[in-house]
Amino acid sequence: ENVSLLFKLYCLTVMTLVAATYTVALRYTRTVETELYFSTTAVCITEVIKLFLSVGILTKETGSLTRLITSLKENVFGSPIELLKLSVPSLVYALQNNMAFVALSNLDAAVYQVTYQLKIPCTALCTVLMLNRTLSKLQWFSVFMLCGGVTLVQWKPAQTTKVQVEQNPWLGFGAIAVAVLCSGFAGVYFEKVLKSSDTSLWVRNIQMYLSGIVVTLFGVYMSDGAQVLEKGFFYGYTYYVWFVIFLASVGGLYTSVVVKYTDNIMKGFSAAAAIVLSTVASVILFGLQITVTFFLGALLVCVSIYLYGLPRQDTTKIQPSETKSSKERLATV
């Protein structure tokens, strides 16, 4: 049990460090690099790299190329239903990203920032409803505290501009609601698929990344199709851009490991810690000024992580649905 706990802590720590490094590197490519690249193509390449990395790890897991081919035939190409099942989170994440863009276009940055953090308690709610788990009152309190802490860490005063953009607040709030629901549902859905069978984690990743490549290629065509044809798929790519893509790929693989052996709520806490670390790194590297709101937000994040990590019943396994109904679990909360 101690080894299992240490492994979980190791996974969360690595994910936090990778996510923080990725955020800092991404900020560098967007502020220091003079030539911008197409972010849609970078996302697509990330999915391709994650696919190849998963195939490589599965090859090592199976022990031979023959067993790898057999496993892929049985679980990927020979199981269209399973492949379709893993295409759901890819499509939902694509919808989430588009809705987030619509929301940001129709809401003030500060309003968007606050409301989008509702994805944290939404993920907790999806975990309770979809995975038959229970959270204590202290855990729910720590989840909402984390939500407030992340909001304060990312808070920036609204800046007035001369360009007035016509906004539709109702459309913005509707889009943010869809984005929040998509975020919670997709993450918990993937966790349920991972933990509901003995299928290898890397097989599941391959199934998801195959559909992810299709979805991201469609995104490239819809968003930057004409420019990509004119300038090239790898326009603006530098060593730093490839480093960002590599970090995103490794971070994606580690996210699936964290979801497999912990849960989506812990993934949210890890992501919050990464935000704090990346902001501190930005202070050192880019001269970013620490504000009172950041300090208070970082304090709330740290306290919420401590409270959520207090000894409790294990909630990283899917419980039998017969134990409690969804209504009963919500009533106890």
Side-chain angles (χ1 to χ4, degrees):
E1 183 178 352
N2 291 332
V3 174
S4 176
L5 177 61
L6 289 175
F7 178 72
K8 292 176 182 179
L9 290 175
Y10 170 76
C11 291
L12 289 169
T13 302
V14 173
M15 178 184 169
T16 301
L17 292 175
V18 171
T21 307
Y22 167 76
T23 303
V24 174
L26 182 61
R27 181 173 294 165
Y28 178 86
T29 60
R30 287 296 181 178
T31 56
V32 180
E33 294 284 285
T34 56
E35 196 170 35
L36 294 181
Y37 56 94
F38 298 119
S39 58
T40 53
T41 63
V43 173
C44 183
I45 293 299
T46 300
E47 294 295 308
V48 173
I49 294 177
K50 287 190 289 187
L51 175 64
F52 278 105
L53 289 175
S54 297
V55 171
I57 296 174
L58 183 61
T59 304
K60 185 177 180 180
E61 188 178 82
T62 54
S64 67
L65 185 60
T66 304
R67 292 179 181 176
L68 170 67
I69 296 175
T70 302
S71 178
L72 291 178
K73 285 182 178 179
E74 292 178 356
N75 299 295
V76 181
F77 304 108
S79 301
I81 296 179
E82 293 297 315
L83 191 61
L84 186 63
K85 186 188 297 183
L86 266 296
S87 67
V88 172
S90 298
L91 293 173
V92 174
Y93 278 131
L95 176 61
Q96 173 195 340
N97 293 332
N98 282 279
M99 288 298 100
F101 177 79
V102 173
L104 188 57
S105 301
N106 289 277
L107 296 173
D108 293 335
V111 176
Y112 168 84
Q113 194 171 284
V114 173
T115 53
Y116 195 53
Q117 301 312 320
L118 291 175
K119 65 182 180 179
I120 299 174
C122 182
T123 299
L125 182 62
C126 288
T127 299
V128 170
L129 295 177
M130 296 173 61
L131 301 183
N132 300 313
R133 295 177 184 165
T134 57
L135 296 179
S136 66
K137 293 180 180 179
L138 183 61
Q139 287 176 312
W140 276 110
F141 177 73
S142 64
V143 166
F144 282 99
M145 180 183 291
L146 177 70
C147 181
V150 174
T151 300
L152 289 177
V153 166
Q154 296 182 312
W155 182 271
K156 292 181 181 178
Q159 296 180 350
T160 58
T161 59
K162 296 181 180 180
V163 180
Q164 297 296 325
V165 180
E166 185 178 352
Q167 294 180 329
N168 186 340
W170 289 108
L171 177 61
F173 283 120
I176 204 73
V178 174
V180 165
L181 291 174
C182 286
S183 176
F185 172 79
V188 176
Y189 177 91
F190 181 57
E191 181 181 350
K192 184 172 183 178
V193 172
L194 283 179
K195 297 181 178 179
S196 296
S197 69
D198 295 329
T199 305
S200 170
L201 167 65
W202 308 110
V203 170
R204 291 301 191 190
N205 278 341
I206 291 171
Q207 293 170 338
M208 187 171 68
Y209 296 148
L210 281 173
S211 58
I213 291 172
V214 175
V215 171
T216 53
L217 279 174
F218 180 74
V220 172
Y221 172 76
M222 293 298 295
S223 300
D224 303 308
Q227 290 183 311
V228 168
L229 288 176
E230 178 186 351
K231 298 181 179 180
F233 196 87
F234 299 102
Y235 172 78
Y237 279 47
T238 63
Y239 293 113
Y240 294 106
V241 174
W242 282 110
F243 181 60
V244 168
I245 292 174
F246 173 75
L247 287 175
S249 303
V250 175
L253 292 180
Y254 252 100
T255 298
S256 62
V257 174
V258 168
V259 170
K260 173 71 174 178
Y261 295 105
T262 60
D263 55 38
N264 272 280
I265 302 177
M266 289 305 301
K267 183 190 76 173
F269 278 86
S270 178
I275 292 173
V276 175
L277 286 179
S278 63
T279 305
V280 173
S282 297
V283 171
I284 300 173
L285 298 175
F286 305 115
L288 189 68
Q289 297 295 322
I290 288 289
T291 62
V292 176
T293 55
F294 170 82
F295 177 79
L296 293 176
L299 182 62
L300 287 178
V301 168
C302 294
V303 173
S304 65
I305 292 174
Y306 171 76
L307 292 178
Y308 191 86
L310 290 176
R312 66 192 186 281
Q313 182 181 0
D314 188 10
T315 62
T316 62
K317 296 184 176 66
I318 296 179
Q319 304 298 332
S321 57
E322 294 82 3
T323 55
K324 280 188 179 181
S325 67
S326 298
K327 292 183 179 180
E328 289 175 337
R329 290 194 304 277
L330 288 176
T332 58
V333 173

